Amino acid sequence: MQILVTSASGANGNGYGSLLSFDLDGTARGTFSADPRITDPRGLSVSADRKLLYVNSGSDRILALDATGEVVRDTGPIPGLNAGGGSLAPEGRYLVGLRSARTIAAFAADLSGAPQRILPVDIVPFPRGFASAEDGTVYLASGIGPNGEGENTIAVFDAYGTPLASRFIADDAVSPLDLTIAPNGNIVVSSEFPFRAPHATTSIREYDYATGKLVRVFTPPSGIAFDQPRGLRFSPDGHLYCVARDSVLAFDFDDGRFLDSVVRMPRLNGQAVIFFPLLAD
């Protein structure tokens, strides 16, 4: 098993602009794939059989890679796509956050055909990560955009796109940057509040899936760098990982303990993190 991280580039983070691989102990393995179609990558997701890695490329296309890093599926360029996060829905479609259109679209698992919007355009001021529960319920983090537009909450929709709650949480200390669903069904978000403030408070926050009530706050000990948190994922052993600027942090989700800054890399500017089998696994 390896840890994969997308690193932003240029105006979006001055990072490496590539898909990076690390051993579970944080040792850098280098670029997972050198395919030129992967530029300024964002969202990541792994197929249910763990054979395919879906990557949202800044070149306005979605790619699927095998364990060797070879591209095996490609939507081709989709003008104006501007994809953010990505997540496989329980029924198998690949869901993608569209930052310019302020919505979520679905692709067939084989990436054939045109994307289908599952929510209306401009459904939130600025989408900041989402996840689909086993019953099809979609939780969409509504955060602050680069130009200061937006809000700080979570919107909820049923499997048919019908709004269930426009403000699922009431938390005066959150500005969500990514969202995932925990093994216990609760909603977990990474937060930088106020967004882009010089001395923003960074944290990971867990909310009850039924009520939206704040359950816990995860933070590392004083002295551990945790700047610009972004992508969240659970490891196969149930630990919670968050990629941030220059690092990937791990927490024991059961008891809330900080475990380690697993990855330390200057200019990482991570956007998404995920676990993918090594070729020899």
Side-chain angles (χ1 to χ4, degrees):
M1 194 67 67
Q2 61 190 313
I3 302 170
L4 298 180
V5 174
T6 53
S7 174
S9 63
N12 294 316
N14 192 29
Y16 298 95
S18 59
L19 177 59
L20 304 176
S21 171
F22 301 88
D23 287 328
L24 295 182
D25 65 2
T27 302
R29 298 175 54 88
T31 301
F32 177 69
S33 175
D35 193 291
R37 287 170 285 187
I38 302 174
T39 62
D40 194 19
R42 295 289 165 160
L44 295 171
S45 195
V46 173
S47 61
D49 61 9
R50 307 198 69 79
K51 292 183 178 179
L52 289 179
L53 173 74
Y54 291 83
V55 181
N56 296 352
S57 175
S59 58
D60 284 338
R61 66 205 308 158
I62 310 299
L63 306 167
L65 285 63
D66 64 16
T68 70
E70 294 294 317
V71 173
V72 296
R73 298 175 185 172
D74 179 3
T75 61
I78 303 174
L81 184 67
N82 194 14
S87 178
L88 280 160
E91 87 283 352
R93 292 183 300 169
Y94 183 55
L95 306 183
V96 176
L98 306 184
R99 292 181 292 180
S100 296
R102 311 300 203 245
T103 189
I104 300 173
F107 289 82
D110 63 4
L111 300 184
S112 64
Q116 303 296 316
R117 293 193 182 102
I118 67 168
L119 298 175
V121 172
D122 296 327
I123 193 65
V124 295
F126 198 86
R128 280 290 189 182
F130 65 92
S132 180
E134 287 298 322
D135 64 358
T137 301
V138 174
Y139 297 87
L140 173 60
S142 181
I144 305 298
N147 298 319
E149 74 281 19
E151 56 189 356
N152 291 319
T153 190
I154 297 171
V156 188
F157 308 86
D158 69 14
Y160 305 98
T162 303
L164 299 177
S166 60
R167 298 190 65 87
F168 177 62
I169 60 172
D171 185 351
D172 293 334
V174 67
S175 185
L177 290 162
D178 193 28
L179 179 152
T180 192
I181 297 176
N184 63 6
N186 283 349
I187 311 307
V188 181
V189 304
S190 55
S191 171
E192 177 186 319
F193 181 83
F195 178 60
R196 284 193 170 174
H199 302 291
T201 298
T202 56
S203 62
I204 300 171
R205 309 172 82 82
E206 178 188 0
Y207 301 93
D208 184 276
Y209 73 93
T211 66
K213 181 180 178 181
L214 180 65
V215 176
R216 289 186 292 179
V217 177
F218 298 78
T219 57
S222 176
I224 301 294
F226 187 39
D227 300 319
Q228 299 177 14
R230 294 295 189 269
L232 295 164
R233 276 296 188 273
F234 284 89
S235 64
D237 60 6
H239 290 159
L240 175 61
Y241 283 68
C242 181
V243 64
R245 190 181 73 190
D246 305 336
S247 64
V248 177
L249 276 60
F251 297 84
D252 186 312
F253 187 71
D254 289 337
D255 60 21
R257 287 182 300 117
F258 171 73
L259 297 176
D260 195 10
S261 294
V262 179
V263 171
R264 301 176 185 87
M265 175 178 281
R267 294 180 47 238
L268 179 63
N269 288 299
Q271 300 299 306
V273 60
I274 207 161
F275 297 84
F276 194 51
L278 287 164
L279 190 58
D281 284 357

